[in-house]
Amino acid sequence: MAALTELLQSFDAEREGAELYQLVSDLYPICRSITGNGLRESLRLIQRTAPLSLHEVPSGTPVFDWVVPNEWNIRDAWIKNNRGEKVVDFHRSNLHVISYSTPVRQSMSLAELRPHLITLPDTPDWIPYRTSYYQETWGFCLNYRQYERLRDETYEVCIDSTLGPGHLTYGELRIPGGTDAEVLISAHSCHPSLANDNLSGMAVAAVLAQHLSGMSLRYSYRFLWIPGTIGAITWLALHEAELHKIKHGLVLSCLGDPGRFTYKRSRRGNAEIDRVAAHILAHSAREFHLLEFTPLGYDERQYCSPGINLPMGCLMRTPNGVYPQYHTSADDLSLVNSRSLAESLNTILHIIRFLEGNQRYVNLKPKCEPQLGQRGLYRQLGGTKNATAEEAMLWVLNLSDGEQSLLDIAIRSGLLFATLRAAAENLLEAGLLDEADRRRQ
Amino acid sequence: MAALTELLQSFDAEREGAELYQLVSDLYPICRSITGNGLRESLRLIQRTAPLSLHEVPSGTPVFDWVVPNEWNIRDAWIKNNRGEKVVDFHRSNLHVISYSTPVRQSMSLAELRPHLITLPDTPDWIPYRTSYYQETWGFCLNYRQYERLRDETYEVCIDSTLGPGHLTYGELRIPGGTDAEVLISAHSCHPSLANDNLSGMAVAAVLAQHLSGMSLRYSYRFLWIPGTIGAITWLALHEAELHKIKHGLVLSCLGDPGRFTYKRSRRGNAEIDRVAAHILAHSAREFHLLEFTPLGYDERQYCSPGINLPMGCLMRTPNGVYPQYHTSADDLSLVNSRSLAESLNTILHIIRFLEGNQRYVNLKPKCEPQLGQRGLYRQLGGTKNATAEEAMLWVLNLSDGEQSLLDIAIRSGLLFATLRAAAENLLEAGLLDEADRRRQ
Amino acid sequence: MAALTELLQSFDAEREGAELYQLVSDLYPICRSITGNGLRESLRLIQRTAPLSLHEVPSGTPVFDWVVPNEWNIRDAWIKNNRGEKVVDFHRSNLHVISYSTPVRQSMSLAELRPHLITLPDTPDWIPYRTSYYQETWGFCLNYRQYERLRDETYEVCIDSTLGPGHLTYGELRIPGGTDAEVLISAHSCHPSLANDNLSGMAVAAVLAQHLSGMSLRYSYRFLWIPGTIGAITWLALHEAELHKIKHGLVLSCLGDPGRFTYKRSRRGNAEIDRVAAHILAHSAREFHLLEFTPLGYDERQYCSPGINLPMGCLMRTPNGVYPQYHTSADDLSLVNSRSLAESLNTILHIIRFLEGNQRYVNLKPKCEPQLGQRGLYRQLGGTKNATAEEAMLWVLNLSDGEQSLLDIAIRSGLLFATLRAAAENLLEAGLLDEADRRRQ
């Protein structure tokens, strides 16, 4: 707590934002997918910021209703016209190839090529992002203006990819805290050159992990950088026995755009993380959105599936599918900015500080008020109004029944969490409170 | 379900309305009461539409706090002035006689007659409807204009009725379904020439029964055409041991006027029938009223008495006591119309289809999402928005814990019941869901 | 109930108000504190109205986390200038001395005196009220105009007080009722010449006790006139074993000003007293405030501490700290008026009558409606609208399951409590209901 409070008090938004934006920029050119070397390269790049470990799960491993797929790698891809000019070139944008495209090297007419071309006629300058992980096919995505310029000639088509047994890679980092109880932070890491979805989440998770490392914390923190859907499913299947340790969690994505914050509740709807995130946003003096859980979106689909049902929400700015650039080449480095990234990190740090400090206490002198004055905790001259610090102590004493947390007391009293937390610390020191967790042991 | 859906898709409002209006018209002239031949004749007339059975319960039978009363029959009734003219004539309106009037044949002055005459001075053209089942008396109801014309002369008064041991008659029809669990539909059938209250309810119940007969249904359906209050009490007292089979129920009345629909909740307040009826009306794109339960009204007074407490609501258009013609001769064939009657039937069919389809399921692959793509249930090209059918499958999978019904999922997701139902059927077929009821057996 | 109803029907606001105002006026000049002869004198004065007993608890008695303090008495106090004129004189206002000031007799310069002087520069005509019960000190309170006139000269200062072992005094009166279950009425009685806070509460409690004495009541009533905080703590510590008998309670204060009523809920938030008080105020056709519980305020701080947690709310008009005259010499006899005092008493009598009558019943004929007509409780001529008395009987029968009280039925039905109470009495007499309490014995 103290280290977190200090970090927040001296939070240097400019420096944090610059570091986050640099990490997003460094990751941007790499062609990631749900498996393969681009994913490995990205995780190794993040290791410079946060000491995650790379884990490799062999293709063919059964994971719940799924099987880990073959590994996909790509070196090059292009379409040449009959003058030998590359009219589509993977090296100009890795979105040009449908992810998991099977290898191709072939000449064909425009008519034959067309079924393999995907465009967005409504936004003619943008290249769409498409995948075909589980049905073998190949194809190119291109902007509509490129597409319109294609003439009826013979094209040479090349996708220099491999698809075969290999591994699914994910990154994991556990920062041990005072207890085994864990907070899980998860960022999907399988998208190629898309900046807001998902590089912003990957980068914020990395810098967050960097900050938490070495701090003295109540909870242990587990970070995952995993391929979307199949990565979350794989990790959950391999760690089912340990899931009970996860007390709170956040899926991070879309954290770099200038939109307002959006918190999507866990399937439980009123988990502590849901209430804390809602409280932090409500007290931020900024506009925000709260969404109820839906089984669509990011990996909360898996973490909040009915047989897993972890208390995990999803923090975003503008949500997936809501901003027009979503899943197109326009989700590029110009869509995200260092100020938004830093603000996102700051908000998550506030949420974590609140979780860390959101204790439940037991009043050890519950019959009438204890005599605070004799303990130097109360004004001695009667007849004047209570100071806020005194009010806070009276609230904490009155409601600390071992069930109500400081969040509950903050909501009931209208007092700030920090004020209540300070009151609780004074009362603890005076021997008037105990931590509920400690008493349960 | 399929047959019901088909019926609703090809619902011929004009034909249904005409049949309903004809049935109301045929029943209209008969002088019904809580016992007697008029009631029997009405039930036999309904048999042409729905094959109900007539049941006879002897006078004197104890039924909870009550006793089945004597049977009342009437042949004729009139008041003649001293010129022998019938100034009041039962054959012109059967409302002219207070129901259960004891026999009279007597000459008397206007002063002697007056205490036996009931009028409505505020609506001087309307004859009131009055009864005296449990206190022996006799009397005439007449419109105020008739009453004003009565001169101070000698009148001859005749009520040619009988009141003595006999039977209370009711009609019952059970349409067996896939399970013993029952839906109870009840219409009081004791009012004489009153069209909206209660002939509309009797007719809608009859045509509804006709439609459900022979359909393959999940629930069994029990229809009652019974005298109000004493009939419901009698039936409940005689069938107490079987009441646990009734899972949902509706009291039907006042369904022929052009007013908006009114659903009055069961005493439980949030029973499945209450939630389904409210949902259907809310999604009807028409204005409607929802009423909380009150212990006044129709036979829900008995069905929802605290020791019975069945999950039964009451569906009406303009409720009893709210429209000015209520319990007067103006509740005649001009107050009801075929369009309203058909719309009422249609709404009840929608409620029944919803009840039939409102299953609870168990997700058989609850840990993470099952791989829908491999089962041909999901688009293969990633990166695009989910289709509604896919969304519906994800919602059904995520919330099918054996407790939440499709109605709950419809409310949470904002998706249409039909969409969710189709999704559930696809998932059932793919072996990803099971019916909760089947698993409980 | 009957006596209470009669009292309310013949309530003579002018006479009651005059008596209350006279009692406040008689108590006003006395210098009270949390111990001492002023407190004793005040309680003896109240004995003329309500036969309370004086209880004496020795200094040094441990009471929960506290110890009963030394007794303080004061005879005189003044500040004389160098011409021998009393510039501050305790006999002009007993607020001039900080309560519990230690004895002083000394000459000193203005500079030496200043740290012992308290003023209110923003309201320069008012003398503040201050106490220092638990830290030994001495001081004077004076209005800012007096303070400004003090010149730089030598002053003679005298506080002729004693502070040493003695007793804490409180007044108690128990009015026995039909059961051991108790209603606790508590008024703090430790403030010197302050009229609204707390003489109004002391006086209303006294006249209320006078009225309840000798009435035949369902509950027993316990009245406490106690020093604030330490008095409540002392009484609770000495009576811990009997607290379970207290079913409802009210702290009374600030009941003489012309402001609207304020009811502050108990810590439980939805106790019967909370619901009854809210219902009475909501049906008063006057504006009012409802406050959630906070652990600040009057002795509800102790009664509603987590280890005591009695169902006690606090009834006030303008609350403590909200009116500007609070804890100053301006809370004098001109701030309170006989009309407000009488209205406060009347409101509390309404609350008590409601509590007395707020029975839970069990319907002895819960299967269908019982036949009210045969018992002379129901109109015999069917077809007309129910009378309100009949409606009330149907509501009471339908909801009397032993759990729901007449208050619950009043809220559900929209009928007046008195109407429902009359209905319940008719049904009890007819043998259709029983009292839930009687059945539990």
Side-chain angles (χ1 to χ4, degrees):
Chain A
M1 271 290 283
L4 265 170
T5 301
E6 219 170 283
L7 171 58
L8 280 165
Q9 273 160 1
S10 63
F11 190 82
D12 181 343
E14 207 160 321
R15 199 172 55 75
E16 301 284 348
E19 182 178 356
L20 287 160
Y21 192 82
Q22 186 60 50
L23 184 48
V24 169
S25 305
D26 293 347
L27 290 162
Y28 185 73
I30 304 169
C31 181
R32 280 161 296 276
S33 183
I34 57 169
T35 63
N37 292 325
L39 176 56
R40 284 188 193 94
E41 189 187 336
S42 301
L43 297 175
R44 285 201 201 98
L45 200 151
I46 291 172
Q47 281 179 324
R48 291 186 217 155
T49 306
L52 61 84
S53 314
L54 270 70
H55 297 256
E56 301 279 352
V57 184
S59 303
T61 306
V63 286
F64 294 135
D65 194 51
W66 302 62
V67 168
V68 173
N70 280 335
E71 180 173 330
W72 182 71
N73 282 293
I74 183 161
R75 273 175 301 264
D76 201 359
W78 41 257
I79 301 171
K80 283 186 187 163
N81 64 15
N82 59 12
R83 275 152 300 151
E85 298 162 352
K86 290 187 180 170
V87 295
V88 175
D89 183 355
F90 171 72
H91 289 296
R92 264 186 283 168
S93 169
N94 55 38
L95 297 182
H96 274 318
V97 177
I98 292 179
S99 196
Y100 264 66
S101 279
T102 48
V104 175
R105 184 72 193 244
Q106 200 178 327
S107 286
M108 56 180 72
S109 67
L110 182 57
E112 288 168 308
L113 182 55
R114 267 210 176 102
H116 294 275
L117 301 181
I118 298 173
T119 64
L120 296 169
D122 290 345
T123 50
D125 293 318
W126 297 356
I127 308 164
Y129 162 58
R130 292 293 180 271
T131 69
S132 186
Y133 305 134
Y134 300 101
Q135 190 174 45
E136 293 203 357
T137 187
W138 63 266
F140 287 86
C141 300
L142 58 165
N143 73 43
Y144 192 66
R145 299 215 195 283
Q146 284 174 294
Y147 179 82
E148 278 186 314
R149 281 193 299 267
L150 296 178
R151 283 180 308 184
D152 199 357
E153 55 191 312
T154 301
Y155 290 92
E156 200 187 344
V157 172
C158 164
I159 296 182
D160 182 9
S161 66
T162 58
L163 180 60
H167 293 83
L168 176 151
T169 314
Y170 66 83
E172 185 168 3
L173 171 61
R174 186 175 182 276
I175 299 171
T179 62
D180 266 4
E182 283 186 6
V183 178
L184 179 61
I185 306 290
S186 177
H188 69 284
S189 307
C190 52
H191 287 17
S193 295
L194 296 169
N196 199 30
D197 169 20
N198 51 189
L199 296 179
S200 67
M202 291 163 69
V204 168
V207 176
L208 174 64
Q210 186 185 43
H211 281 303
L212 296 186
S213 294
M215 275 190 187
S216 168
L217 295 162
R218 175 179 168 208
Y219 291 110
S220 298
Y221 287 78
R222 189 177 297 273
F223 288 82
L224 294 177
W225 290 265
I226 46 168
T229 304
I230 186 64
I233 292 169
T234 297
W235 189 86
L236 287 166
L238 299 180
H239 297 80
E240 205 180 345
E242 298 155 73
L243 300 182
H244 67 276
K245 294 181 193 164
I246 299 170
K247 304 304 180 198
H248 321 286
L250 282 175
V251 169
L252 301 185
S253 189
C254 301
L255 290 168
D257 69 277
R260 62 176 77 164
F261 282 108
T262 302
Y263 178 76
K264 178 181 165 185
R265 292 175 182 277
S266 75
R267 183 175 182 268
R268 301 184 185 189
N270 210 23
E272 188 171 331
I273 183 69
D274 299 323
R275 302 177 68 223
V276 167
H279 192 80
I280 291 287
L281 293 179
H283 287 70
S284 68
R286 286 189 299 249
E287 292 175 319
F288 64 95
H289 294 290
L290 270 187
L291 302 181
E292 292 303 306
F293 177 75
T294 72
L296 298 109
Y298 290 111
D299 284 331
E300 67 275 13
R301 291 165 67 153
Q302 314 309 327
Y303 296 123
C304 300
S305 58
I308 304 292
N309 206 24
L310 291 174
M312 289 183 70
C314 179
L315 188 75
M316 300 170 275
R317 302 186 73 109
T318 310
N320 56 302
V322 172
Y323 58 99
Q325 304 95 329
Y326 174 73
H327 278 191
T328 76
S329 57
D331 184 352
D332 62 13
L333 290 170
S334 73
L335 182 64
V336 303
N337 68 74
S338 62
R339 197 162 158 273
S340 292
L341 287 162
E343 197 184 45
S344 297
L345 174 62
N346 188 281
T347 294
I348 297 166
L349 284 167
H350 271 97
I351 292 172
I352 287 175
R353 186 176 60 152
F354 204 121
L355 284 173
E356 285 280 319
N358 191 29
Q359 294 278 9
R360 285 158 181 76
Y361 299 98
V362 175
N363 177 345
L364 299 177
K365 299 271 187 194
K367 294 176 182 174
C368 298
E369 293 172 0
Q371 198 176 3
L372 298 175
Q374 294 302 75
R375 293 173 176 91
L377 297 173
Y378 211 74
R379 76 205 183 299
Q380 292 291 349
L381 193 68
T384 53
K385 279 212 176 185
N386 285 99
T388 305
E390 289 169 6
E391 259 193 67
M393 280 186 286
L394 294 175
W395 274 109
V396 171
L397 285 167
N398 195 279
L399 297 181
S400 284
D401 53 6
E403 296 304 321
Q404 298 187 74
S405 69
L406 289 188
L407 171 60
D408 298 305
I409 302 175
I411 291 170
R412 274 286 297 270
S413 68
L415 297 177
L416 290 177
F417 178 72
T419 309
L420 292 166
R421 177 79 203 178
E425 278 160 13
N426 284 336
L427 293 167
L428 266 174
E429 207 171 296
L432 293 171
L433 284 189
D434 198 3
E435 289 176 10
D437 286 350
R438 191 154 57 201
R439 295 177 72 83
R440 280 203 197 95
Q441 284 160 7
Chain B
M1 268 290 285
L4 265 170
T5 301
E6 220 172 281
L7 171 58
L8 280 164
Q9 273 161 1
S10 63
F11 190 81
D12 183 343
E14 207 160 320
R15 198 173 53 74
E16 302 285 350
E19 181 177 355
L20 286 160
Y21 192 82
Q22 187 58 52
L23 185 48
V24 168
S25 305
D26 293 347
L27 290 163
Y28 184 74
I30 305 169
C31 181
R32 282 163 294 276
S33 184
I34 56 170
T35 62
N37 292 325
L39 175 56
R40 285 189 193 92
E41 189 187 338
S42 302
L43 296 175
R44 285 199 201 100
L45 199 151
I46 291 172
Q47 280 179 324
R48 292 186 218 156
T49 306
L52 61 84
S53 314
L54 271 69
H55 296 256
E56 301 279 352
V57 184
S59 302
T61 306
V63 286
F64 294 136
D65 193 51
W66 303 61
V67 168
V68 173
N70 280 337
E71 181 172 330
W72 182 70
N73 282 293
I74 183 161
R75 273 176 301 263
D76 201 0
W78 40 258
I79 302 172
K80 283 188 189 162
N81 64 13
N82 60 11
R83 274 153 300 150
E85 297 162 349
K86 290 188 179 169
V87 295
V88 175
D89 183 357
F90 172 71
H91 289 295
R92 264 186 285 170
S93 169
N94 55 39
L95 297 181
H96 274 317
V97 177
I98 292 178
S99 195
Y100 265 65
S101 280
T102 48
V104 176
R105 184 73 193 240
Q106 199 177 330
S107 288
M108 55 180 74
S109 69
L110 181 58
E112 288 168 307
L113 182 54
R114 265 209 179 102
H116 294 274
L117 301 181
I118 299 174
T119 64
L120 297 169
D122 289 345
T123 50
D125 292 318
W126 298 356
I127 308 163
Y129 162 58
R130 292 291 180 274
T131 68
S132 187
Y133 304 133
Y134 300 101
Q135 189 173 44
E136 292 204 356
T137 185
W138 64 267
F140 287 86
C141 301
L142 59 164
N143 74 42
Y144 192 65
R145 299 215 194 284
Q146 284 175 292
Y147 179 80
E148 277 187 315
R149 280 195 298 269
L150 295 177
R151 285 180 307 185
D152 198 357
E153 53 190 314
T154 300
Y155 291 93
E156 198 186 348
V157 173
C158 163
I159 297 181
D160 181 9
S161 66
T162 59
L163 181 59
H167 292 83
L168 176 150
T169 314
Y170 67 84
E172 183 168 6
L173 172 61
R174 185 174 181 276
I175 300 171
T179 62
D180 266 3
E182 282 187 7
V183 179
L184 179 61
I185 307 290
S186 177
H188 69 284
S189 306
C190 52
H191 288 17
S193 294
L194 296 169
N196 199 32
D197 167 21
N198 52 186
L199 296 179
S200 67
M202 291 163 69
V204 169
V207 176
L208 174 65
Q210 187 185 42
H211 280 304
L212 296 186
S213 295
M215 276 190 188
S216 167
L217 296 162
R218 174 179 168 209
Y219 290 110
S220 297
Y221 287 78
R222 190 177 296 274
F223 288 82
L224 294 178
W225 291 264
I226 47 170
T229 304
I230 187 64
I233 292 168
T234 298
W235 189 86
L236 286 166
L238 299 180
H239 296 80
E240 205 181 345
E242 298 154 71
L243 300 182
H244 67 277
K245 293 182 193 161
I246 299 170
K247 304 303 180 198
H248 321 284
L250 282 176
V251 169
L252 301 185
S253 188
C254 301
L255 290 167
D257 68 278
R260 62 177 76 165
F261 282 108
T262 302
Y263 178 75
K264 177 181 166 185
R265 292 176 183 278
S266 75
R267 182 174 183 269
R268 301 184 186 189
N270 210 23
E272 189 171 331
I273 183 69
D274 298 324
R275 300 178 69 225
V276 167
H279 192 80
I280 292 286
L281 293 179
H283 286 69
S284 68
R286 286 189 297 250
E287 291 175 320
F288 64 96
H289 294 291
L290 271 186
L291 303 182
E292 293 302 308
F293 177 75
T294 70
L296 297 110
Y298 289 111
D299 284 330
E300 67 275 14
R301 292 165 67 154
Q302 314 310 327
Y303 296 123
C304 299
S305 59
I308 304 292
N309 206 23
L310 290 174
M312 289 184 69
C314 178
L315 189 74
M316 301 170 275
R317 302 187 73 108
T318 310
N320 55 302
V322 171
Y323 58 99
Q325 304 92 332
Y326 174 72
H327 278 192
T328 75
S329 56
D331 183 352
D332 63 11
L333 289 170
S334 73
L335 182 64
V336 303
N337 68 75
S338 63
R339 197 163 159 274
S340 292
L341 288 163
E343 199 186 44
S344 297
L345 174 61
N346 187 283
T347 294
I348 297 166
L349 284 167
H350 271 98
I351 292 172
I352 287 174
R353 186 177 58 152
F354 204 120
L355 285 174
E356 285 280 318
N358 191 30
Q359 294 279 6
R360 285 160 181 76
Y361 298 100
V362 176
N363 177 345
L364 299 177
K365 300 270 187 194
K367 294 175 182 176
C368 298
E369 292 171 1
Q371 197 175 3
L372 297 175
Q374 295 300 76
R375 294 174 174 90
L377 297 173
Y378 212 73
R379 78 204 182 297
Q380 292 292 345
L381 194 68
T384 52
K385 280 213 177 184
N386 286 96
T388 305
E390 290 169 5
E391 258 193 67
M393 280 186 288
L394 294 175
W395 274 109
V396 171
L397 284 167
N398 194 279
L399 297 182
S400 284
D401 52 7
E403 296 303 321
Q404 298 186 72
S405 69
L406 289 188
L407 170 60
D408 297 307
I409 302 175
I411 291 169
R412 273 288 294 270
S413 68
L415 297 176
L416 290 176
F417 178 72
T419 309
L420 291 167
R421 177 79 202 176
E425 277 161 13
N426 283 336
L427 292 168
L428 266 173
E429 207 170 297
L432 293 171
L433 285 189
D434 198 2
E435 288 176 11
D437 286 350
R438 192 154 57 203
R439 293 177 73 83
R440 280 203 197 94
Q441 284 160 6
Chain C
M1 269 290 284
L4 266 169
T5 302
E6 216 171 286
L7 171 58
L8 280 164
Q9 273 161 0
S10 64
F11 190 82
D12 182 344
E14 207 160 322
R15 199 172 53 75
E16 302 284 349
E19 180 176 359
L20 286 161
Y21 192 83
Q22 186 60 51
L23 184 48
V24 168
S25 306
D26 293 347
L27 289 163
Y28 185 73
I30 304 170
C31 181
R32 280 163 295 276
S33 183
I34 56 170
T35 62
N37 291 325
L39 176 56
R40 283 188 193 93
E41 188 187 337
S42 301
L43 296 174
R44 284 200 200 98
L45 198 151
I46 291 173
Q47 280 179 325
R48 293 187 217 154
T49 306
L52 60 85
S53 314
L54 270 70
H55 296 256
E56 301 279 351
V57 184
S59 302
T61 306
V63 286
F64 294 136
D65 193 50
W66 303 61
V67 168
V68 172
N70 281 335
E71 181 173 329
W72 182 69
N73 282 294
I74 184 162
R75 270 176 301 265
D76 201 358
W78 40 257
I79 302 172
K80 283 188 187 163
N81 62 14
N82 59 14
R83 276 152 300 148
E85 298 163 352
K86 289 188 181 171
V87 295
V88 175
D89 183 357
F90 172 72
H91 288 296
R92 261 186 286 169
S93 168
N94 54 39
L95 297 182
H96 274 318
V97 177
I98 292 178
S99 195
Y100 264 64
S101 280
T102 47
V104 176
R105 184 73 193 242
Q106 200 178 331
S107 286
M108 56 180 73
S109 69
L110 181 58
E112 287 169 307
L113 181 56
R114 266 212 177 101
H116 294 274
L117 301 181
I118 299 174
T119 64
L120 295 169
D122 290 345
T123 50
D125 292 318
W126 298 355
I127 308 164
Y129 161 58
R130 292 292 179 271
T131 67
S132 186
Y133 304 133
Y134 300 102
Q135 190 174 43
E136 293 203 356
T137 187
W138 64 265
F140 287 86
C141 301
L142 59 166
N143 75 43
Y144 191 66
R145 299 213 194 284
Q146 284 176 293
Y147 179 82
E148 278 185 317
R149 279 194 300 267
L150 295 178
R151 284 180 306 184
D152 199 355
E153 56 190 310
T154 300
Y155 291 94
E156 200 187 344
V157 172
C158 163
I159 297 183
D160 181 11
S161 66
T162 58
L163 181 59
H167 292 82
L168 177 150
T169 314
Y170 66 84
E172 185 168 3
L173 170 62
R174 186 173 181 277
I175 300 171
T179 62
D180 264 3
E182 282 187 6
V183 179
L184 178 62
I185 306 289
S186 177
H188 68 284
S189 307
C190 52
H191 288 18
S193 295
L194 295 169
N196 199 31
D197 168 19
N198 51 191
L199 296 180
S200 66
M202 291 164 69
V204 168
V207 175
L208 174 65
Q210 186 185 45
H211 280 304
L212 297 186
S213 294
M215 275 191 188
S216 167
L217 296 161
R218 176 179 167 208
Y219 290 110
S220 297
Y221 287 77
R222 189 178 297 273
F223 288 81
L224 294 178
W225 290 264
I226 46 169
T229 305
I230 186 64
I233 292 169
T234 298
W235 189 86
L236 287 166
L238 300 180
H239 297 80
E240 206 182 345
E242 298 154 71
L243 300 182
H244 68 276
K245 293 182 193 162
I246 299 171
K247 304 305 180 198
H248 320 285
L250 282 176
V251 169
L252 301 185
S253 187
C254 301
L255 290 167
D257 68 279
R260 62 177 77 165
F261 282 109
T262 301
Y263 179 76
K264 178 181 167 186
R265 292 176 182 277
S266 77
R267 183 174 182 270
R268 302 184 185 189
N270 210 21
E272 189 171 333
I273 183 68
D274 298 324
R275 302 177 69 224
V276 167
H279 192 80
I280 291 287
L281 293 179
H283 287 69
S284 68
R286 286 188 298 249
E287 292 175 319
F288 63 97
H289 294 290
L290 270 186
L291 302 182
E292 292 302 307
F293 177 75
T294 71
L296 298 108
Y298 290 112
D299 284 330
E300 66 275 13
R301 292 165 66 154
Q302 314 310 327
Y303 296 124
C304 298
S305 57
I308 304 292
N309 206 23
L310 290 174
M312 289 184 68
C314 178
L315 189 74
M316 301 170 275
R317 304 186 74 108
T318 310
N320 55 302
V322 172
Y323 58 99
Q325 304 92 332
Y326 173 72
H327 277 191
T328 76
S329 56
D331 184 351
D332 63 11
L333 289 170
S334 73
L335 182 64
V336 303
N337 68 74
S338 63
R339 198 163 159 272
S340 293
L341 288 163
E343 198 185 44
S344 296
L345 173 62
N346 188 283
T347 294
I348 297 165
L349 284 166
H350 271 98
I351 291 173
I352 287 174
R353 186 177 59 152
F354 204 119
L355 285 174
E356 286 280 319
N358 191 30
Q359 294 279 7
R360 285 159 181 76
Y361 298 98
V362 176
N363 177 344
L364 299 177
K365 299 270 187 195
K367 295 176 181 174
C368 299
E369 292 171 0
Q371 197 174 3
L372 298 175
Q374 294 301 76
R375 295 174 174 89
L377 297 172
Y378 211 73
R379 77 203 182 299
Q380 293 292 347
L381 195 66
T384 51
K385 282 213 176 185
N386 286 98
T388 304
E390 289 170 6
E391 260 193 66
M393 280 187 286
L394 294 175
W395 274 108
V396 170
L397 285 167
N398 196 280
L399 297 181
S400 285
D401 52 8
E403 296 303 321
Q404 297 186 73
S405 68
L406 288 188
L407 171 60
D408 298 305
I409 302 175
I411 291 170
R412 274 287 295 271
S413 68
L415 297 177
L416 291 177
F417 178 72
T419 309
L420 291 167
R421 177 80 202 177
E425 278 161 12
N426 283 336
L427 293 167
L428 266 173
E429 206 169 298
L432 293 171
L433 284 190
D434 198 3
E435 290 177 9
D437 286 350
R438 191 153 57 201
R439 293 177 73 82
R440 281 202 197 94
Q441 285 160 6

